[in-house]
C-alpha cells in the first residue's frame, strides 16, 4: 500500500486581468500534479487593471468550479510570505515563449534567495495558447476582435459588459 507522507500545495500567482484559456490550461495541468492548487490574484499590481479584484475572483471561481482541488485567493506583498502563510511548497508559473523565460527565471531565483525551501514549477500550455496574454486579449477585444476561443465564455460576457459600460 502506498502511504502518503505529505501533501503538496502550490500557489499559482498572477494578475488574471482577465482569466484566459492559457491560464485555465495551466491550472488544469498544475492541478493534476499537486494535491491542492491556489490561484492567487496579486492585489497591488503595478498594472492598472480592467477588472476589479472581486470580479477576477468571481471569474476564476466560476471557471474552475469543476476542478475539485483548486481554490482562489488574493494577496499583496511578497509572494514568498503568502506561500509561507499558506503552507505551500511550490509556486506554479507558465512559460509561453523564450520571452517569458528571462523574467520568470529572475523571479524564481529571487524567490529562492528569499525562501530556499520553496520550489518554482514551470509548465508550458497547449501550443494553441502560447501566444495568449491578458493584455493582448483586452487590446484585441476593445478593437472589436473575436476572442471567444481564447477565453472562457463567462469572460467574454464580462468583457462585453465592461466595455459597453465604459462607452
Ligand atoms: N497563455 C498562457 N500560457 C501559459 N502560461 C501563461 C499564459 N498566460 C499567462 N501565463 C502565465 O500565468 C502567470 C500569470 O500571468 P499574468 O497574470 O501576468 O497573465 P498574462 O496573460 O501574462 O497577463 P498580462 O498580459 O497582464 O501580463 C505567469 O506565469 C504567466 O507566464
Ligand atoms: Mg504577464
Amino acid at each position: 500500500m502506498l502511504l502518503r507522507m505529505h501533501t503538496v500545495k502550490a500557489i499559482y500567482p498572477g494578475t488574471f486581468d482577465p482569466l484566459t484559456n492559457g491560464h485555465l490550461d495551466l491550472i488544469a495541468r498544475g492541478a493534476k500534479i499537486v494535491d491542492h492548487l491556489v490561484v492567487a490574484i496579486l492585489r497591488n499590481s503595478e498594472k492598472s487593471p480592467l477588472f476589479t479584484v472581486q470580479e477576477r475572483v468571481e471569474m476564476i471561481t466560476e471557471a474552475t468550479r469543476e476542478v475539485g482541488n483548486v481554490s482562489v485567493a488574493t494577496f499583496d506583498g511578497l509572494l514568498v510570505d503568502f506561500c509561507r502563510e499558506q503552507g505551500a511548497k511550490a509556486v506554479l508559473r507558465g512559460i509561453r515563449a523564450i520571452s517569458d523565460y528571462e523574467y520568470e527565471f529572475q523571479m524564481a531565483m529571487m524567490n529562492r534567495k528569499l525562501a530556499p525551501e520553496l520550489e518554482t514549477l514551470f509548465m508550458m500550455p497547449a501550443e494553441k495558447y502560447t501566444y495568449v496574454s491578458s493584455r493582448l486579449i483586452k487590446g484585441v477585444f476593445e478593437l472589436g476582435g473575436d476572442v471567444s476561443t481564447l477565453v472562457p465564455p463567462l469572460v467574454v460576457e464580462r468583457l462585453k459588459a465592461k466595455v459597453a459600460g465604459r462607452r
Side-chain angles (χ1 to χ4, degrees):
M1 200 184 86
L2 219 154
L3 198 71
R4 297 219 69 164
M5 302 300 283
H6 57 259
T7 59
V8 177
K9 185 180 194 178
I11 308 290
Y12 178 34
T15 318
F16 306 104
D17 183 45
L19 179 74
T20 69
N21 286 346
H23 294 132
L24 275 179
D25 179 288
L26 219 73
I27 291 169
R29 286 173 203 280
K32 272 198 305 199
I33 63 157
V34 301
D35 297 293
H36 191 88
L37 184 66
V38 181
V39 182
I41 302 169
L42 177 61
R43 279 198 298 265
N44 288 335
S45 165
E46 277 162 23
K47 308 170 182 172
S48 54
L50 177 64
F51 292 98
T52 65
V53 170
Q54 185 51 37
E55 288 170 328
R56 283 177 271 157
V57 167
E58 287 165 13
M59 285 186 272
I60 301 170
T61 305
E62 258 179 84
T64 60
R65 209 181 291 283
E66 312 276 87
V67 200
N69 59 337
V70 172
S71 61
V72 186
T74 67
F75 75 104
D76 53 23
L78 282 178
L79 174 62
V80 296
D81 290 339
F82 180 68
C83 289
R84 280 174 173 154
E85 247 170 58
Q86 292 276 313
K89 288 197 179 80
V91 171
L92 175 67
R93 295 289 287 179
I95 299 277
R96 286 164 287 199
I98 299 294
S99 52
D100 275 336
Y101 177 79
E102 207 168 275
Y103 173 76
E104 294 293 342
F105 180 84
Q106 222 178 16
M107 290 303 294
M109 287 301 142
M110 180 56 83
N111 286 335
R112 178 174 286 170
K113 173 82 181 162
L114 298 172
E117 76 283 6
L118 192 68
E119 292 296 337
T120 302
L121 302 175
F122 290 112
M123 296 188 90
M124 280 82 66
E127 237 176 302
K128 62 183 174 188
Y129 299 133
T130 49
Y131 64 95
V132 176
S133 73
S134 298
R135 187 183 54 82
L136 194 55
I137 293 291
K138 286 181 284 192
V140 169
F141 184 84
E142 281 174 21
L143 296 174
D146 181 6
V147 296
S148 61
T149 58
L150 304 177
V151 298
L154 65 102
V155 171
V156 177
E157 292 313 311
R158 297 267 186 156
L159 279 166
K160 281 183 186 158
K162 183 66 81 176
V163 170
R166 293 195 317 183
R167 284 206 175 113

